[in-house]
Amino acid sequence: MAETTSRRFELGFALGNLAPALVVGVSGYALPVRYFFADALVAVTVLSVVGSSGVALFRRDRALTALRVGALALLGFGLLVIAAAALSVAYLYGTQGDFGRGGLLIMVLVLFLSVPYLFAYPIIELFALHRRFAEHRAPSAVRGAEP
Amino acid sequence: MSPRGLLLLARVYLAVLLSLCLAVIVHLGVDHGATVPIRSIVSSWSGGVRTARVIVTDGAERALRDSRESRVVIEDVVDEGPILTTASLLFGWALVPGRDGVEVRYRGRVAVATPDDILKIGAYDRWLPLGTTELRFAIAEEPVFWLLGRDVGATPEELRVEGEFRRLVIKKRGAPLRPPPVTKERLRDAVVSAGQYLARAVGPDGRYRYESDAVSGSESPDYNWPRHSGATWFLADAAAYTKNPVFSDAAVRAARHLIEHALLDCGAHRCIVEGDVADLGSSALALLAFVELYEAGFMPELLDPMRALAEFLLAMQRPDGEFMHRYDRVEKRPIDVQLPYYTGEASLALERFSRATKHGKSHEAARRALDRLVNPPFWYVGWRYFWGSEHWTCHAMNALWARAPNHEALAFCLDWQESVRDLAIRERAAAPAFDGATSGGPLVMPQLGGSSSRMEAAVSTLDAAKRARIDPREIERLEAGLRETLAFLMHFQLRPGPRHLMPSPALMHGGFPTTPTDLHVRIDHPQHAGTALLHYLRQLERAETHGKAL
């Protein structure tokens, strides 16, 4: 029973990771401008997440490690995007001054659209994975104590 | 990664990011509220061309006073700041349009482009290509580099590589930063000026000078019949209000032009058209203009063309109240497509026609069209009639209110106005005069045309809301927002505007530009703004008369 639940957990996150990967990939592709740095970053993130999901789906023994790689790739990408957005806002605030409620509204909208995929989801996943790793380690530690 | 590790990472990330952001803001920030001049740039202009310039730290009022033929303009540098880079994407947002200028040092020489210079070359607020799309930038760097390069003897590329750029915060002497309050006198002056602009724009043949650029004097070759008709509607309305024969003569010429050049056979009916495919909006707005001229007594002979156009509109209506928006003259059949505006325009025109001629069928058609406009289907996302472009719907709602009050339509218009107020520009630190502008994002310049059409709708909504006796607090909010936006519009009306930049300032007087820094005037700008101002003025005068009677 516990085995089944554990596998469901892995499969859930392996498939769940594909959603933000899809969002990142489609958003990156839809950008009207092609910058090598941005394209490479999107490609590496998407490949890492999709690749790690593939490993988690088909290699049960490496599933947790692979999921962690996927979550860290998403989180890293999210932190970079949020940093780029924050620095852009800082630049615009510096040059244009306080641009009022409209600007705040758009920034909040951008945050609401990006934070769930690129920050909240990978953080939740990393926390969940940490607990799962801990559960895996605990029985082996007990077994190691036996004569 | 453990929760503790994640928390540590988050702390470091936030600390570094916040520090970087603060550093950027502090490094780039300037004080747009500063008033004390650091130095003054004194320029003399003649015929829209800069003829002389000096930069002084004292006695700006006395500089260039000997240039008799010219107009002397003093632009005070009140603060300055760095420009991080000349890379297009960042330089494009390095200045506040209309407030900031640029200074460049190149091999010991210094050149300055003030807001007037940049306005003159049309480099503020420009759509520029960005990959496969276009993005609106605060400033286009190429023309500015070209202008500065001319003064220091360098090419734009040389400037880009070797130039040291600074941002200058400029306050033009004598120019008020905030609009004065809305009064009946100011409204009247603004309406008359808008009417004068349009009356001047009508040529002897009745065709409008469609779009003019105030700073270059160039004219657009484009033309548009719905806008011709809309402008004629406002001119006729303004003529009826002011009793100014110049306005009525111009409106009559424009109406005759429609009849002689554009009123053609559309199957069994007559419609306003150029080419093989007619659009509903041209005929609807022409009917509206004709009704205004007919009711005011300027052209009693318009009754037949009015009937012909009304018959055409009625023939284009579907059983569900919707209109078919195009007509194929070759195939002699309507094309059942829908475009923004046209159903609202047809509803308004038919109701006005009905009131003028007691034509009951037109009233019924107008009522059904309005009902259709404000009743979206269940799957309403993607519904073609939505707030953004439905100012004619609110005109129609108000026109119909006396005989067929539609409370859903009133709610639609009130909701729209609430969203207009919520999204209006307010407290933009660098541009307090934009308070109340209702179109344009937080960074791009507000469009006067968009603000004007929303205010047309607001005035009609206010009128109906008062008659419907809705919650007085709602009326108060609506009127406060309306007055704020009208103040914004009047502030940027070319009355006279930066006339020293214009080759023909007298020709542009009274026009409403596209944005505060894009001084193209198209005929629908004074029409929308003028209609909003005139209809609000009438409401104030009616209220005053009513108050005195009590």
Side-chain angles (χ1 to χ4, degrees):
Chain A
M1 189 66 181
E3 284 285 296
T4 316
T5 312
S6 169
R7 189 60 186 149
R8 275 192 193 146
F9 169 89
E10 290 159 8
L11 291 177
F13 274 119
L15 293 173
N17 284 1
L18 296 178
L22 187 72
V23 171
V24 170
V26 169
S27 309
Y29 179 74
L31 285 176
V33 189
R34 301 263 68 94
Y35 285 126
F36 173 76
F37 176 73
D39 288 347
L41 193 66
V42 168
V44 167
T45 306
V46 171
L47 287 175
S48 306
V49 177
V50 172
S52 63
S53 283
V55 171
L57 285 172
F58 299 110
R59 290 286 304 272
R60 195 173 172 188
D61 56 327
R62 304 246 169 117
L64 290 180
T65 311
L67 286 175
R68 187 148 70 178
V69 169
L72 283 172
L74 265 183
L75 182 64
F77 181 78
L79 292 179
L80 275 177
V81 168
I82 290 167
L87 285 168
S88 302
V89 172
Y91 178 78
L92 290 171
Y93 193 92
T95 59
Q96 307 289 311
D98 185 353
F99 35 84
R101 281 193 311 187
L104 190 68
L105 198 73
I106 289 182
M107 291 310 154
V108 169
L109 200 68
V110 169
L111 275 181
F112 270 113
L113 287 174
S114 57
V115 162
Y117 295 102
L118 300 176
F119 190 72
Y121 174 78
I123 288 277
I124 290 168
E125 186 176 359
L126 283 170
F127 272 109
L129 285 169
H130 179 75
R131 282 179 61 185
R132 190 63 57 169
F133 267 112
E135 283 167 17
H136 271 246
R137 272 192 218 108
S140 53
V142 172
R143 270 197 303 275
E146 287 172 0
Chain B
M1 186 175 275
S2 67
R4 191 174 292 174
L6 275 175
L7 205 63
L8 184 66
L9 174 75
R11 279 184 186 155
V12 172
Y13 174 81
L14 279 177
V16 172
L17 187 57
L18 282 176
S19 307
L20 277 174
C21 288
L22 275 175
V24 168
I25 290 171
V26 170
H27 181 60
L28 293 175
V30 289
D31 182 7
H32 280 100
T35 50
V36 180
I38 300 167
R39 56 188 181 279
S40 302
I41 303 163
V42 188
S43 314
S44 79
W45 296 79
S46 178
V49 178
R50 198 179 80 208
T51 52
R53 165 164 292 168
V54 291
I55 300 176
V56 296
T57 49
D58 198 18
E61 305 80 13
R62 295 186 298 277
L64 298 180
R65 282 296 137 187
D66 52 345
S67 44
R68 286 186 188 166
E69 300 294 314
S70 309
R71 180 178 157 79
V72 175
V73 176
I74 303 172
E75 291 170 287
D76 291 322
V77 179
V78 293
D79 198 5
E80 51 190 307
I83 289 178
L84 276 189
T85 167
T86 54
S88 304
L89 200 57
L90 292 179
F91 187 84
W93 294 106
L95 306 182
V96 175
R99 285 299 315 273
D100 294 349
V102 194
E103 181 183 79
V104 67
R105 287 175 188 277
Y106 174 79
R107 296 184 182 173
R109 281 163 284 177
V110 179
V112 170
T114 68
D116 272 353
D117 298 327
I118 300 172
L119 205 59
K120 180 68 191 172
I121 58 171
Y124 281 133
D125 191 24
R126 281 264 287 265
W127 287 95
L128 295 174
L130 185 73
T132 55
T133 188
E134 284 194 325
L135 187 65
R136 200 167 188 156
F137 283 88
I139 189 160
E141 93 256 30
E142 276 304 323
V144 175
F145 288 0
W146 172 85
L147 182 74
L148 292 167
R150 196 186 58 180
D151 288 354
V152 294
T155 65
E157 206 43 51
E158 287 168 338
L159 275 192
R160 197 188 290 275
V161 175
E162 289 184 56
E164 290 167 40
F165 290 86
R166 299 272 300 164
R167 163 157 80 138
L168 306 179
V169 179
I170 305 266
K171 186 178 178 302
K172 194 182 285 185
R173 208 166 288 184
L177 281 180
R178 284 184 184 278
V182 175
T183 61
K184 286 204 290 293
E185 290 67 33
R186 289 205 76 229
L187 287 166
R188 215 170 281 130
D189 289 346
V191 168
V192 170
S193 301
Q196 285 168 338
Y197 175 85
L198 280 178
R200 271 196 309 275
V202 184
D205 62 348
R207 200 175 161 90
Y208 286 90
R209 192 161 27 83
Y210 179 67
E211 182 176 351
S212 308
D213 180 7
V215 292
S216 72
S218 65
E219 288 182 22
S220 163
D222 296 344
Y223 211 73
N224 177 290
W225 289 112
R227 289 184 181 134
H228 174 112
S229 302
T232 308
W233 173 48
F234 166 67
L235 256 183
D237 204 4
Y241 176 79
T242 59
K243 315 278 186 257
N244 184 335
V246 176
F247 292 5
S248 53
D249 288 351
V252 167
R253 285 202 306 281
R256 285 209 179 110
H257 185 83
L258 277 170
I259 293 170
E260 288 164 10
H261 295 92
L263 186 62
L264 301 174
D265 287 337
C266 284
H269 303 283
R270 306 267 283 165
C271 72
I272 300 293
V273 62
E274 190 176 57
D276 291 336
V277 177
D279 63 66
L280 192 83
S282 300
S283 296
L285 290 184
L287 174 59
L288 190 61
F290 289 176
V291 168
E292 202 70 59
L293 283 162
Y294 175 81
E295 282 195 318
F298 297 131
M299 287 183 88
E301 69 272 26
L302 282 177
L303 191 56
D304 284 342
M306 280 159 54
R307 283 189 181 130
L309 289 175
E311 286 302 323
F312 172 71
L313 296 183
L314 291 171
M316 296 287 278
Q317 192 170 31
R318 297 191 322 207
D320 64 356
E322 179 58 280
F323 285 90
M324 296 173 274
H325 285 185
R326 289 207 193 284
Y327 185 88
D328 187 331
R329 294 176 67 222
V330 179
E331 299 283 328
K332 296 188 176 170
R333 62 177 179 81
I335 305 169
D336 195 0
V337 293
Q338 279 73 40
L339 303 162
Y341 311 121
Y342 290 171
T343 296
E345 290 169 357
S347 176
L348 172 63
L350 284 170
E351 175 59 15
R352 292 292 309 273
F353 171 73
S354 164
R355 270 192 352 219
T357 61
K358 313 279 184 286
H359 191 250
K361 205 173 157 189
S362 293
H363 166 69
E364 186 52 24
R367 189 195 62 72
R368 286 195 298 123
L370 179 64
D371 207 35
R372 165 87 183 163
L373 277 168
V374 297
N375 277 297
F378 174 71
W379 54 92
Y380 112 107
V381 174
W383 175 237
R384 60 176 67 86
Y385 303 117
F386 198 51
W387 291 336
S389 58
E390 285 311 308
H391 49 282
W392 296 101
T393 300
C394 302
H395 272 318
M397 177 273 299
N398 188 37
L400 275 156
W401 194 264
R403 294 198 288 171
N406 184 328
H407 290 272
E408 270 177 297
L410 178 59
F412 173 93
C413 295
L414 285 168
D415 286 349
W416 178 27
Q417 289 304 322
E418 188 180 342
S419 92
V420 165
R421 287 197 300 278
D422 286 347
L423 294 175
I425 295 171
R426 277 192 195 90
E427 296 155 13
R428 205 186 273 188
F434 293 174
D435 276 10
T438 65
S439 59
L443 293 165
V444 299
M445 295 299 275
Q447 304 269 321
L448 272 79
S451 292
S452 302
S453 57
R454 285 164 177 78
M455 286 311 102
E456 274 187 274
V459 174
S460 282
T461 307
L462 180 67
D463 195 17
K466 282 179 178 169
R467 286 190 280 164
R469 297 179 189 280
I470 66 162
D471 186 344
R473 287 168 301 179
E474 177 71 24
I475 290 178
E476 203 174 301
R477 281 195 294 271
L478 178 60
E479 191 161 6
L482 166 72
R483 291 176 74 94
E484 196 178 25
T485 310
L486 292 184
F488 158 74
L489 289 173
M490 289 192 286
H491 185 69
F492 288 102
Q493 186 180 17
L494 300 179
R495 216 156 42 100
R499 54 178 299 140
H500 55 286
L501 303 180
M502 304 177 196
S504 313
L507 207 61
M508 302 308 298
H509 189 91
F512 285 86
T514 304
T515 72
T517 52
D518 174 357
L519 303 191
H520 283 81
V521 179
R522 204 172 60 192
I523 55 173
D524 56 318
H525 301 161
Q527 179 259 304
H528 288 307
T531 302
L533 295 162
L534 174 56
H535 289 189
Y536 185 56
L537 174 60
R538 280 202 179 114
Q539 280 188 37
L540 292 183
E541 288 178 344
R542 270 204 313 268
E544 193 179 60
T545 312
H546 184 67
K548 278 180 186 162
L550 290 178

